[in-house]
Amino acid sequence: MFPLEKFQQIDTPFYYYDTELLRQTLSAIRDNITPEMHVHYAVKACANPKVLSIIAQEGFGADCVSGGEVQAAIDAGFPAEKIVYAGVGKSDREIILGLEHGIFAFNVESIPELEIINQLALQRGKVARVALRINPNVGAHTHANITTGLAENKFGIDMQDMEDVIRRTQEMQGIQFIGLHFHIGSQILEMDDFIALCHRINEIQERLEAAGFPTVSDINVGGGLGVDYQQPNEHPIPDFKAYFQAYKQNLKLRHGQQLHFELGRAIVCQCGTLLTRVLYIKSNPIKNFCIVDAGMTDLIRPALYGSYHHIENLSAQSPSDYVTYDVVGPICESSDVFIKNYGMPRTQRGDIIAIRSAGAYGEIMASGYNCRQLPKGYTTEDLA
Ligand SMILES: *Cc1c(COP(=O)(O)O)cnc(C)c1O
C-alpha cells in the first residue's frame, strides 16, 4: 500500500498523507450525515496545506482555535461562512481577523471575552455571531490530558452561569447569540460518552425553554471521535455510522435547528504516516535499541501522552524473523521513545520504518528542539 520505492528516494523523517484514504474517509462522513448536519474539520489536528485544501474542496467547514488557524483555513479555500472559531484565550488581533472575514461563529468561553468581541465588533460596525461554549460536566473515557468537558477543566462556561451569560448577549448590540457549543474530549471510542452529551444537551434545551429563552438555531457538539491506533490496517476509517447514529437517535433537535460537528483526529489520523530510517541498532544484555532518525520533535504523542503507534518495518528482509526492540529517536531526552519491547521483523541500518496513525497531532506538533529541522509532509499526489 505504501510507495516504498518513492520513499527510498526521500530524506527522512517525513510525513506521508494517503489522500485516497482521506477522500474515502470524507465520503464515509458524507454518507452518514443528513442535511441539517454540518462537519467542520478541526484544523489543529493537521494543518498541512494540501490536506486542508482537499477537505475544503470536498465541501467541509473548518473549526479553528487560533487566528493562525483561521488564516490557514481561509488560505486553503474554506469559505468564511463555514468557519467556527473556539479558544479560551482569543487575542484582540485574532478576534478582529475573524470579524473582518465574517466567520460563521465565535465559540465564546467567558463573559470578559464576550465583552471584548462585542466592543471590537461595534467599533467596526459588525455583528459577531456567537455560540456559547458550555462545560457540560460530562466525563469522557479517554486520557486525562485530553478530556475537556469536566467542571475541573479550563474550558467553557459553567452550566449554572449559562442563563446569565445568555442574558448578557441579549444586551449587546455587537453580538448575535446563535447557539450552544460543547466539546468533551478527544480519542473517544465509547459511544456512550457522546450519548451522555446528547442527554445533557436535551436537559439544557428544556431548561432554557422553561426559563423562556428563544430556541437557538445552532447546536455544536464538537469532535472527539477516536481511531484504532492498534490496528490501522483493519480499521482505516472510523465507525462514522455508529457515531452519527448516536446523535441522530439521542439528540432532540428543535425544528430547523442545525447540528455542527468538529472532527479532527477521525478525519486525518489514519491517512498520515511518519516515515523514518534506521540509523543504528544498539544492543546490550537486556535491550535492543532501534535508533531511528525521527524523534519526539517530529511526533511527540508517545512522549507526551504515552500513546501507542503501530510501527512497521517496510524494508524487512525476512518478515518472520522477529526481534524485540525499543524504537527510539535521537533527541536528548529519555522520553524520546516511540515504543518499548516491540516485536518487529529484524531491522538494519537504512531500513524504512513506518510509524502509523500519525496524521493527527503529528506534523502540526513538531518542534525545532535540538535545532532540528521540521519534518516535511508529502501527499500521494506529490509522490506520483
Ligand atoms: C481539539 C478540538 C476538536 C477536535 O478534536 P478531535 O478529537 O481531534 O476530534 C474539536 N473542537 C474543539 C473545540 C477542539 O478544541
Side-chain angles (χ1 to χ4, degrees), residues 40-45 63-65 86-87 107 109 133 148 155 181-183 185-188 220-226 261-267 360-361:
H40 306 263
Y41 166 63
V43 173
K44 78 169 188 278
D63 161 50
C64 303
V65 293
N107 294 327
E109 312 216 3
R133 178 168 182 174
T148 55
F155 299 102
H181 173 235
F182 306 86
H183 175 66
S186 201
Q187 183 54 18
I188 299 169
N220 183 336
V221 294
L225 177 62
F261 296 86
E262 302 170 335
L263 293 171
R265 192 190 310 268
I267 294 178
Y361 309 104

PDB file of all heavy atoms in Angstrom, residues 40-45 63-65 86-87 107 109 133 148 155 181-183 185-188 220-226 261-267 360-361, ligand 1:
ATOM      1  N   HIS A  40     -17.295  20.426  10.557  1.00  0.00           N
ATOM      2  CA  HIS A  40     -16.185  21.368  10.447  1.00  0.00           C
ATOM      3  C   HIS A  40     -14.919  20.610  10.833  1.00  0.00           C
ATOM      4  O   HIS A  40     -14.852  20.056  11.942  1.00  0.00           O
ATOM      5  CB  HIS A  40     -16.384  22.547  11.401  1.00  0.00           C
ATOM      6  CG  HIS A  40     -17.707  23.246  11.228  1.00  0.00           C
ATOM      7  ND1 HIS A  40     -17.840  24.389  10.476  1.00  0.00           N
ATOM      8  CD2 HIS A  40     -18.940  22.938  11.687  1.00  0.00           C
ATOM      9  CE1 HIS A  40     -19.109  24.761  10.490  1.00  0.00           C
ATOM     10  NE2 HIS A  40     -19.798  23.902  11.208  1.00  0.00           N
ATOM     11  N   TYR A  41     -13.955  20.596   9.957  1.00  0.00           N
ATOM     12  CA  TYR A  41     -12.704  19.896  10.257  1.00  0.00           C
ATOM     13  C   TYR A  41     -11.885  20.702  11.268  1.00  0.00           C
ATOM     14  O   TYR A  41     -11.651  21.904  11.073  1.00  0.00           O
ATOM     15  CB  TYR A  41     -11.906  19.687   8.961  1.00  0.00           C
ATOM     16  CG  TYR A  41     -10.483  19.282   9.243  1.00  0.00           C
ATOM     17  CD1 TYR A  41     -10.202  18.082   9.895  1.00  0.00           C
ATOM     18  CD2 TYR A  41      -9.417  20.109   8.889  1.00  0.00           C
ATOM     19  CE1 TYR A  41      -8.907  17.727  10.201  1.00  0.00           C
ATOM     20  CE2 TYR A  41      -8.114  19.750   9.178  1.00  0.00           C
ATOM     21  CZ  TYR A  41      -7.868  18.559   9.845  1.00  0.00           C
ATOM     22  OH  TYR A  41      -6.580  18.216  10.152  1.00  0.00           O
ATOM     23  N   ALA A  42     -11.461  20.047  12.347  1.00  0.00           N
ATOM     24  CA  ALA A  42     -10.662  20.726  13.385  1.00  0.00           C
ATOM     25  C   ALA A  42      -9.219  20.860  12.889  1.00  0.00           C
ATOM     26  O   ALA A  42      -8.435  19.910  12.943  1.00  0.00           O
ATOM     27  CB  ALA A  42     -10.723  19.938  14.694  1.00  0.00           C
ATOM     28  N   VAL A  43      -8.903  22.056  12.440  1.00  0.00           N
ATOM     29  CA  VAL A  43      -7.614  22.330  11.791  1.00  0.00           C
ATOM     30  C   VAL A  43      -6.427  21.992  12.694  1.00  0.00           C
ATOM     31  O   VAL A  43      -5.357  21.639  12.222  1.00  0.00           O
ATOM     32  CB  VAL A  43      -7.562  23.818  11.358  1.00  0.00           C
ATOM     33  CG1 VAL A  43      -6.186  24.209  10.838  1.00  0.00           C
ATOM     34  CG2 VAL A  43      -8.633  24.096  10.302  1.00  0.00           C
ATOM     35  N   LYS A  44      -6.626  22.059  14.006  1.00  0.00           N
ATOM     36  CA  LYS A  44      -5.479  21.834  14.887  1.00  0.00           C
ATOM     37  C   LYS A  44      -4.917  20.416  14.782  1.00  0.00           C
ATOM     38  O   LYS A  44      -3.767  20.180  15.120  1.00  0.00           O
ATOM     39  CB  LYS A  44      -5.811  22.185  16.338  1.00  0.00           C
ATOM     40  CG  LYS A  44      -6.608  21.177  17.114  1.00  0.00           C
ATOM     41  CD  LYS A  44      -6.589  21.600  18.603  1.00  0.00           C
ATOM     42  CE  LYS A  44      -7.200  20.561  19.497  1.00  0.00           C
ATOM     43  NZ  LYS A  44      -8.677  20.656  19.518  1.00  0.00           N
ATOM     44  N   ALA A  45      -5.709  19.466  14.281  1.00  0.00           N
ATOM     45  CA  ALA A  45      -5.211  18.094  14.165  1.00  0.00           C
ATOM     46  C   ALA A  45      -4.106  17.981  13.112  1.00  0.00           C
ATOM     47  O   ALA A  45      -3.158  17.213  13.279  1.00  0.00           O
ATOM     48  CB  ALA A  45      -6.350  17.139  13.834  1.00  0.00           C
ATOM     49  N   ASP A  63     -12.950  24.163  11.800  1.00  0.00           N
ATOM     50  CA  ASP A  63     -13.026  24.549  13.201  1.00  0.00           C
ATOM     51  C   ASP A  63     -11.630  25.006  13.601  1.00  0.00           C
ATOM     52  O   ASP A  63     -10.671  24.254  13.446  1.00  0.00           O
ATOM     53  CB  ASP A  63     -13.466  23.335  14.035  1.00  0.00           C
ATOM     54  CG  ASP A  63     -13.143  23.506  15.506  1.00  0.00           C
ATOM     55  OD1 ASP A  63     -13.495  24.556  16.060  1.00  0.00           O
ATOM     56  OD2 ASP A  63     -12.546  22.588  16.104  1.00  0.00           O
ATOM     57  N   CYS A  64     -11.515  26.239  14.056  1.00  0.00           N
ATOM     58  CA  CYS A  64     -10.209  26.815  14.350  1.00  0.00           C
ATOM     59  C   CYS A  64     -10.085  27.164  15.822  1.00  0.00           C
ATOM     60  O   CYS A  64     -11.073  27.481  16.466  1.00  0.00           O
ATOM     61  CB  CYS A  64     -10.001  28.074  13.515  1.00  0.00           C
ATOM     62  SG  CYS A  64     -10.159  27.753  11.743  1.00  0.00           S
ATOM     63  N   VAL A  65      -8.855  27.144  16.326  1.00  0.00           N
ATOM     64  CA  VAL A  65      -8.621  27.520  17.724  1.00  0.00           C
ATOM     65  C   VAL A  65      -7.589  28.632  17.856  1.00  0.00           C
ATOM     66  O   VAL A  65      -7.084  28.885  18.947  1.00  0.00           O
ATOM     67  CB  VAL A  65      -8.214  26.296  18.597  1.00  0.00           C
ATOM     68  CG1 VAL A  65      -9.370  25.321  18.719  1.00  0.00           C
ATOM     69  CG2 VAL A  65      -6.988  25.602  18.039  1.00  0.00           C
ATOM     70  N   ALA A  86     -13.040  28.656  18.129  1.00  0.00           N
ATOM     71  CA  ALA A  86     -13.120  28.447  19.580  1.00  0.00           C
ATOM     72  C   ALA A  86     -11.776  28.765  20.225  1.00  0.00           C
ATOM     73  O   ALA A  86     -10.777  28.935  19.537  1.00  0.00           O
ATOM     74  CB  ALA A  86     -13.504  26.998  19.870  1.00  0.00           C
ATOM     75  N   GLY A  87     -11.758  28.814  21.545  1.00  0.00           N
ATOM     76  CA  GLY A  87     -10.495  29.018  22.248  1.00  0.00           C
ATOM     77  C   GLY A  87     -10.699  29.849  23.495  1.00  0.00           C
ATOM     78  O   GLY A  87     -11.397  30.857  23.450  1.00  0.00           O
ATOM     79  N   ASN A 107     -16.992  30.646  19.057  1.00  0.00           N
ATOM     80  CA  ASN A 107     -17.432  29.870  20.206  1.00  0.00           C
ATOM     81  C   ASN A 107     -16.809  30.533  21.431  1.00  0.00           C
ATOM     82  O   ASN A 107     -15.594  30.518  21.599  1.00  0.00           O
ATOM     83  CB  ASN A 107     -16.977  28.414  20.082  1.00  0.00           C
ATOM     84  CG  ASN A 107     -17.656  27.707  18.924  1.00  0.00           C
ATOM     85  OD1 ASN A 107     -18.809  28.001  18.606  1.00  0.00           O
ATOM     86  ND2 ASN A 107     -16.954  26.791  18.287  1.00  0.00           N
ATOM     87  N   GLU A 109     -16.134  31.534  25.441  1.00  0.00           N
ATOM     88  CA  GLU A 109     -15.942  30.756  26.666  1.00  0.00           C
ATOM     89  C   GLU A 109     -16.062  31.544  27.960  1.00  0.00           C
ATOM     90  O   GLU A 109     -15.930  30.972  29.039  1.00  0.00           O
ATOM     91  CB  GLU A 109     -14.584  30.044  26.605  1.00  0.00           C
ATOM     92  CG  GLU A 109     -14.347  29.325  25.276  1.00  0.00           C
ATOM     93  CD  GLU A 109     -13.595  28.019  25.413  1.00  0.00           C
ATOM     94  OE1 GLU A 109     -13.285  27.621  26.542  1.00  0.00           O
ATOM     95  OE2 GLU A 109     -13.323  27.400  24.369  1.00  0.00           O
ATOM     96  N   ARG A 133     -19.761  28.345  24.521  1.00  0.00           N
ATOM     97  CA  ARG A 133     -19.239  27.021  24.837  1.00  0.00           C
ATOM     98  C   ARG A 133     -19.596  26.695  26.278  1.00  0.00           C
ATOM     99  O   ARG A 133     -19.138  27.347  27.215  1.00  0.00           O
ATOM    100  CB  ARG A 133     -17.721  26.968  24.656  1.00  0.00           C
ATOM    101  CG  ARG A 133     -17.164  25.601  25.030  1.00  0.00           C
ATOM    102  CD  ARG A 133     -15.743  25.434  24.603  1.00  0.00           C
ATOM    103  NE  ARG A 133     -15.244  24.094  24.938  1.00  0.00           N
ATOM    104  CZ  ARG A 133     -14.060  23.636  24.581  1.00  0.00           C
ATOM    105  NH1 ARG A 133     -13.247  24.398  23.886  1.00  0.00           N
ATOM    106  NH2 ARG A 133     -13.679  22.430  24.914  1.00  0.00           N
ATOM    107  N   THR A 148     -12.016  17.294  28.272  1.00  0.00           N
ATOM    108  CA  THR A 148     -12.199  18.747  28.330  1.00  0.00           C
ATOM    109  C   THR A 148     -13.564  19.146  28.878  1.00  0.00           C
ATOM    110  O   THR A 148     -13.814  20.318  29.079  1.00  0.00           O
ATOM    111  CB  THR A 148     -12.093  19.354  26.919  1.00  0.00           C
ATOM    112  OG1 THR A 148     -13.024  18.696  26.070  1.00  0.00           O
ATOM    113  CG2 THR A 148     -10.705  19.199  26.340  1.00  0.00           C
ATOM    114  N   PHE A 155     -12.023  24.743  30.180  1.00  0.00           N
ATOM    115  CA  PHE A 155     -12.815  25.098  29.009  1.00  0.00           C
ATOM    116  C   PHE A 155     -14.274  25.383  29.330  1.00  0.00           C
ATOM    117  O   PHE A 155     -14.882  24.734  30.173  1.00  0.00           O
ATOM    118  CB  PHE A 155     -12.741  23.966  27.969  1.00  0.00           C
ATOM    119  CG  PHE A 155     -11.357  23.699  27.493  1.00  0.00           C
ATOM    120  CD1 PHE A 155     -10.631  22.623  27.973  1.00  0.00           C
ATOM    121  CD2 PHE A 155     -10.757  24.541  26.566  1.00  0.00           C
ATOM    122  CE1 PHE A 155      -9.338  22.386  27.537  1.00  0.00           C
ATOM    123  CE2 PHE A 155      -9.466  24.309  26.125  1.00  0.00           C
ATOM    124  CZ  PHE A 155      -8.756  23.225  26.611  1.00  0.00           C
ATOM    125  N   HIS A 181     -22.379  25.491  22.221  1.00  0.00           N
ATOM    126  CA  HIS A 181     -21.242  24.696  21.763  1.00  0.00           C
ATOM    127  C   HIS A 181     -20.731  23.824  22.898  1.00  0.00           C
ATOM    128  O   HIS A 181     -20.738  24.234  24.058  1.00  0.00           O
ATOM    129  CB  HIS A 181     -20.141  25.658  21.287  1.00  0.00           C
ATOM    130  CG  HIS A 181     -18.852  24.980  20.941  1.00  0.00           C
ATOM    131  ND1 HIS A 181     -17.649  25.338  21.505  1.00  0.00           N
ATOM    132  CD2 HIS A 181     -18.573  23.968  20.092  1.00  0.00           C
ATOM    133  CE1 HIS A 181     -16.681  24.567  21.000  1.00  0.00           C
ATOM    134  NE2 HIS A 181     -17.215  23.738  20.149  1.00  0.00           N
ATOM    135  N   PHE A 182     -20.313  22.621  22.539  1.00  0.00           N
ATOM    136  CA  PHE A 182     -19.781  21.656  23.505  1.00  0.00           C
ATOM    137  C   PHE A 182     -18.596  20.940  22.869  1.00  0.00           C
ATOM    138  O   PHE A 182     -18.509  20.848  21.653  1.00  0.00           O
ATOM    139  CB  PHE A 182     -20.845  20.599  23.860  1.00  0.00           C
ATOM    140  CG  PHE A 182     -22.138  21.186  24.325  1.00  0.00           C
ATOM    141  CD1 PHE A 182     -23.124  21.558  23.401  1.00  0.00           C
ATOM    142  CD2 PHE A 182     -22.380  21.391  25.676  1.00  0.00           C
ATOM    143  CE1 PHE A 182     -24.319  22.121  23.822  1.00  0.00           C
ATOM    144  CE2 PHE A 182     -23.578  21.960  26.092  1.00  0.00           C
ATOM    145  CZ  PHE A 182     -24.552  22.315  25.170  1.00  0.00           C
ATOM    146  N   HIS A 183     -17.700  20.440  23.700  1.00  0.00           N
ATOM    147  CA  HIS A 183     -16.636  19.557  23.199  1.00  0.00           C
ATOM    148  C   HIS A 183     -16.105  18.819  24.418  1.00  0.00           C
ATOM    149  O   HIS A 183     -15.564  19.446  25.321  1.00  0.00           O
ATOM    150  CB  HIS A 183     -15.522  20.368  22.518  1.00  0.00           C
ATOM    151  CG  HIS A 183     -14.347  19.523  22.096  1.00  0.00           C
ATOM    152  ND1 HIS A 183     -14.450  18.562  21.115  1.00  0.00           N
ATOM    153  CD2 HIS A 183     -13.072  19.484  22.533  1.00  0.00           C
ATOM    154  CE1 HIS A 183     -13.271  17.977  20.963  1.00  0.00           C
ATOM    155  NE2 HIS A 183     -12.418  18.515  21.802  1.00  0.00           N
ATOM    156  N   GLY A 185     -13.879  16.101  24.687  1.00  0.00           N
ATOM    157  CA  GLY A 185     -12.563  15.475  24.769  1.00  0.00           C
ATOM    158  C   GLY A 185     -12.180  14.865  23.443  1.00  0.00           C
ATOM    159  O   GLY A 185     -12.800  15.147  22.423  1.00  0.00           O
ATOM    160  N   SER A 186     -11.146  14.050  23.476  1.00  0.00           N
ATOM    161  CA  SER A 186     -10.592  13.521  22.240  1.00  0.00           C
ATOM    162  C   SER A 186     -10.298  12.026  22.370  1.00  0.00           C
ATOM    163  O   SER A 186     -10.248  11.507  23.490  1.00  0.00           O
ATOM    164  CB  SER A 186      -9.290  14.281  21.937  1.00  0.00           C
ATOM    165  OG  SER A 186      -8.955  14.180  20.584  1.00  0.00           O
ATOM    166  N   GLN A 187     -10.130  11.374  21.219  1.00  0.00           N
ATOM    167  CA  GLN A 187      -9.864   9.925  21.179  1.00  0.00           C
ATOM    168  C   GLN A 187     -10.906   9.159  22.001  1.00  0.00           C
ATOM    169  O   GLN A 187     -10.590   8.296  22.817  1.00  0.00           O
ATOM    170  CB  GLN A 187      -8.407   9.628  21.629  1.00  0.00           C
ATOM    171  CG  GLN A 187      -7.962   8.165  21.563  1.00  0.00           C
ATOM    172  CD  GLN A 187      -8.160   7.498  20.193  1.00  0.00           C
ATOM    173  OE1 GLN A 187      -8.331   8.152  19.173  1.00  0.00           O
ATOM    174  NE2 GLN A 187      -8.172   6.183  20.157  1.00  0.00           N
ATOM    175  N   ILE A 188     -12.166   9.488  21.771  1.00  0.00           N
ATOM    176  CA  ILE A 188     -13.274   8.845  22.468  1.00  0.00           C
ATOM    177  C   ILE A 188     -13.822   7.721  21.585  1.00  0.00           C
ATOM    178  O   ILE A 188     -14.166   7.945  20.421  1.00  0.00           O
ATOM    179  CB  ILE A 188     -14.394   9.875  22.775  1.00  0.00           C
ATOM    180  CG1 ILE A 188     -13.830  10.982  23.676  1.00  0.00           C
ATOM    181  CG2 ILE A 188     -15.610   9.197  23.395  1.00  0.00           C
ATOM    182  CD1 ILE A 188     -14.749  12.182  23.824  1.00  0.00           C
ATOM    183  N   ASN A 220     -23.689  22.900  18.481  1.00  0.00           N
ATOM    184  CA  ASN A 220     -22.396  22.390  18.032  1.00  0.00           C
ATOM    185  C   ASN A 220     -21.886  21.418  19.088  1.00  0.00           C
ATOM    186  O   ASN A 220     -21.677  21.809  20.243  1.00  0.00           O
ATOM    187  CB  ASN A 220     -21.434  23.576  17.854  1.00  0.00           C
ATOM    188  CG  ASN A 220     -20.084  23.160  17.329  1.00  0.00           C
ATOM    189  OD1 ASN A 220     -19.669  22.011  17.484  1.00  0.00           O
ATOM    190  ND2 ASN A 220     -19.381  24.088  16.708  1.00  0.00           N
ATOM    191  N   VAL A 221     -21.709  20.155  18.695  1.00  0.00           N
ATOM    192  CA  VAL A 221     -21.342  19.126  19.671  1.00  0.00           C
ATOM    193  C   VAL A 221     -19.851  18.828  19.681  1.00  0.00           C
ATOM    194  O   VAL A 221     -19.399  17.893  20.357  1.00  0.00           O
ATOM    195  CB  VAL A 221     -22.146  17.822  19.442  1.00  0.00           C
ATOM    196  CG1 VAL A 221     -23.624  18.060  19.729  1.00  0.00           C
ATOM    197  CG2 VAL A 221     -21.956  17.284  18.027  1.00  0.00           C
ATOM    198  N   GLY A 222     -19.054  19.633  18.957  1.00  0.00           N
ATOM    199  CA  GLY A 222     -17.604  19.444  18.994  1.00  0.00           C
ATOM    200  C   GLY A 222     -17.177  18.179  18.261  1.00  0.00           C
ATOM    201  O   GLY A 222     -17.871  17.680  17.370  1.00  0.00           O
ATOM    202  N   GLY A 223     -16.017  17.667  18.655  1.00  0.00           N
ATOM    203  CA  GLY A 223     -15.492  16.476  17.974  1.00  0.00           C
ATOM    204  C   GLY A 223     -15.168  15.403  18.982  1.00  0.00           C
ATOM    205  O   GLY A 223     -15.928  15.187  19.916  1.00  0.00           O
ATOM    206  N   GLY A 224     -14.035  14.737  18.784  1.00  0.00           N
ATOM    207  CA  GLY A 224     -13.569  13.778  19.771  1.00  0.00           C
ATOM    208  C   GLY A 224     -13.627  12.323  19.380  1.00  0.00           C
ATOM    209  O   GLY A 224     -13.122  11.477  20.115  1.00  0.00           O
ATOM    210  N   LEU A 225     -14.230  12.023  18.234  1.00  0.00           N
ATOM    211  CA  LEU A 225     -14.294  10.608  17.843  1.00  0.00           C
ATOM    212  C   LEU A 225     -12.875  10.067  17.659  1.00  0.00           C
ATOM    213  O   LEU A 225     -12.035  10.682  17.000  1.00  0.00           O
ATOM    214  CB  LEU A 225     -15.097  10.451  16.549  1.00  0.00           C
ATOM    215  CG  LEU A 225     -15.182   9.032  15.991  1.00  0.00           C
ATOM    216  CD1 LEU A 225     -15.890   8.082  16.958  1.00  0.00           C
ATOM    217  CD2 LEU A 225     -15.890   9.020  14.635  1.00  0.00           C
ATOM    218  N   GLY A 226     -12.618   8.896  18.240  1.00  0.00           N
ATOM    219  CA  GLY A 226     -11.285   8.304  18.213  1.00  0.00           C
ATOM    220  C   GLY A 226     -11.051   7.396  17.024  1.00  0.00           C
ATOM    221  O   GLY A 226     -11.945   7.133  16.221  1.00  0.00           O
ATOM    222  N   PHE A 261     -20.600  19.617  13.879  1.00  0.00           N
ATOM    223  CA  PHE A 261     -19.585  18.729  14.446  1.00  0.00           C
ATOM    224  C   PHE A 261     -18.212  19.322  14.151  1.00  0.00           C
ATOM    225  O   PHE A 261     -18.033  20.001  13.137  1.00  0.00           O
ATOM    226  CB  PHE A 261     -19.665  17.349  13.794  1.00  0.00           C
ATOM    227  CG  PHE A 261     -20.954  16.618  14.055  1.00  0.00           C
ATOM    228  CD1 PHE A 261     -22.059  16.822  13.243  1.00  0.00           C
ATOM    229  CD2 PHE A 261     -21.065  15.735  15.120  1.00  0.00           C
ATOM    230  CE1 PHE A 261     -23.257  16.165  13.475  1.00  0.00           C
ATOM    231  CE2 PHE A 261     -22.256  15.068  15.363  1.00  0.00           C
ATOM    232  CZ  PHE A 261     -23.361  15.286  14.535  1.00  0.00           C
ATOM    233  N   GLU A 262     -17.259  19.015  15.015  1.00  0.00           N
ATOM    234  CA  GLU A 262     -15.894  19.490  14.804  1.00  0.00           C
ATOM    235  C   GLU A 262     -14.940  18.310  14.919  1.00  0.00           C
ATOM    236  O   GLU A 262     -14.340  18.099  15.969  1.00  0.00           O
ATOM    237  CB  GLU A 262     -15.526  20.525  15.872  1.00  0.00           C
ATOM    238  CG  GLU A 262     -16.454  21.720  15.918  1.00  0.00           C
ATOM    239  CD  GLU A 262     -16.224  22.618  17.123  1.00  0.00           C
ATOM    240  OE1 GLU A 262     -15.713  22.143  18.154  1.00  0.00           O
ATOM    241  OE2 GLU A 262     -16.556  23.797  17.023  1.00  0.00           O
ATOM    242  N   LEU A 263     -14.840  17.542  13.862  1.00  0.00           N
ATOM    243  CA  LEU A 263     -13.999  16.342  13.915  1.00  0.00           C
ATOM    244  C   LEU A 263     -12.594  16.648  13.407  1.00  0.00           C
ATOM    245  O   LEU A 263     -12.427  17.243  12.347  1.00  0.00           O
ATOM    246  CB  LEU A 263     -14.620  15.229  13.075  1.00  0.00           C
ATOM    247  CG  LEU A 263     -15.943  14.677  13.611  1.00  0.00           C
ATOM    248  CD1 LEU A 263     -16.584  13.748  12.587  1.00  0.00           C
ATOM    249  CD2 LEU A 263     -15.718  13.940  14.923  1.00  0.00           C
ATOM    250  N   GLY A 264     -11.604  16.240  14.173  1.00  0.00           N
ATOM    251  CA  GLY A 264     -10.223  16.434  13.764  1.00  0.00           C
ATOM    252  C   GLY A 264      -9.555  15.091  13.515  1.00  0.00           C
ATOM    253  O   GLY A 264      -9.424  14.610  12.389  1.00  0.00           O
ATOM    254  N   ARG A 265      -9.197  14.447  14.611  1.00  0.00           N
ATOM    255  CA  ARG A 265      -8.488  13.175  14.545  1.00  0.00           C
ATOM    256  C   ARG A 265      -9.153  12.159  13.616  1.00  0.00           C
ATOM    257  O   ARG A 265      -8.487  11.509  12.815  1.00  0.00           O
ATOM    258  CB  ARG A 265      -8.400  12.584  15.958  1.00  0.00           C
ATOM    259  CG  ARG A 265      -7.457  11.407  16.089  1.00  0.00           C
ATOM    260  CD  ARG A 265      -7.612  10.728  17.456  1.00  0.00           C
ATOM    261  NE  ARG A 265      -7.560  11.660  18.565  1.00  0.00           N
ATOM    262  CZ  ARG A 265      -6.453  11.990  19.231  1.00  0.00           C
ATOM    263  NH1 ARG A 265      -5.303  11.435  18.914  1.00  0.00           N
ATOM    264  NH2 ARG A 265      -6.506  12.860  20.230  1.00  0.00           N
ATOM    265  N   ALA A 266     -10.472  12.020  13.751  1.00  0.00           N
ATOM    266  CA  ALA A 266     -11.172  10.972  12.999  1.00  0.00           C
ATOM    267  C   ALA A 266     -11.034  11.172  11.490  1.00  0.00           C
ATOM    268  O   ALA A 266     -11.142  10.219  10.719  1.00  0.00           O
ATOM    269  CB  ALA A 266     -12.649  10.944  13.399  1.00  0.00           C
ATOM    270  N   ILE A 267     -10.789  12.411  11.068  1.00  0.00           N
ATOM    271  CA  ILE A 267     -10.687  12.680   9.632  1.00  0.00           C
ATOM    272  C   ILE A 267      -9.285  12.423   9.084  1.00  0.00           C
ATOM    273  O   ILE A 267      -9.125  11.852   8.010  1.00  0.00           O
ATOM    274  CB  ILE A 267     -11.145  14.140   9.336  1.00  0.00           C
ATOM    275  CG1 ILE A 267     -12.639  14.279   9.649  1.00  0.00           C
ATOM    276  CG2 ILE A 267     -10.839  14.539   7.891  1.00  0.00           C
ATOM    277  CD1 ILE A 267     -13.216  15.682   9.439  1.00  0.00           C
ATOM    278  N   ALA A 360      -2.889  12.854  12.759  1.00  0.00           N
ATOM    279  CA  ALA A 360      -3.481  13.839  13.669  1.00  0.00           C
ATOM    280  C   ALA A 360      -2.524  14.126  14.813  1.00  0.00           C
ATOM    281  O   ALA A 360      -1.983  13.201  15.421  1.00  0.00           O
ATOM    282  CB  ALA A 360      -4.807  13.314  14.225  1.00  0.00           C
ATOM    283  N   TYR A 361      -2.344  15.397  15.114  1.00  0.00           N
ATOM    284  CA  TYR A 361      -1.474  15.821  16.209  1.00  0.00           C
ATOM    285  C   TYR A 361      -0.061  15.257  16.029  1.00  0.00           C
ATOM    286  O   TYR A 361       0.606  14.887  16.987  1.00  0.00           O
ATOM    287  CB  TYR A 361      -2.102  15.437  17.576  1.00  0.00           C
ATOM    288  CG  TYR A 361      -3.535  15.917  17.670  1.00  0.00           C
ATOM    289  CD1 TYR A 361      -4.609  15.035  17.532  1.00  0.00           C
ATOM    290  CD2 TYR A 361      -3.805  17.272  17.813  1.00  0.00           C
ATOM    291  CE1 TYR A 361      -5.924  15.494  17.566  1.00  0.00           C
ATOM    292  CE2 TYR A 361      -5.110  17.742  17.844  1.00  0.00           C
ATOM    293  CZ  TYR A 361      -6.172  16.847  17.715  1.00  0.00           C
ATOM    294  OH  TYR A 361      -7.462  17.305  17.741  1.00  0.00           O
TER     295      TYR A 361
HETATM  296  C1  LIG B   1      -9.481  19.718  19.547  1.00  0.00           C
HETATM  297  C2  LIG B   1     -10.854  20.181  19.320  1.00  0.00           C
HETATM  298  C3  LIG B   1     -11.670  19.494  18.417  1.00  0.00           C
HETATM  299  C4  LIG B   1     -11.241  18.262  17.661  1.00  0.00           C
HETATM  300  O1  LIG B   1     -10.978  17.181  18.492  1.00  0.00           O
HETATM  301  P1  LIG B   1     -10.690  15.736  17.830  1.00  0.00           P
HETATM  302  O2  LIG B   1     -10.530  14.851  18.999  1.00  0.00           O
HETATM  303  O3  LIG B   1      -9.446  15.843  17.017  1.00  0.00           O
HETATM  304  O4  LIG B   1     -11.884  15.384  17.003  1.00  0.00           O
HETATM  305  C5  LIG B   1     -12.940  19.975  18.219  1.00  0.00           C
HETATM  306  N1  LIG B   1     -13.396  21.074  18.862  1.00  0.00           N
HETATM  307  C6  LIG B   1     -12.630  21.763  19.725  1.00  0.00           C
HETATM  308  C7  LIG B   1     -13.186  22.965  20.378  1.00  0.00           C
HETATM  309  C8  LIG B   1     -11.341  21.342  19.984  1.00  0.00           C
HETATM  310  O5  LIG B   1     -10.590  22.018  20.844  1.00  0.00           O
END
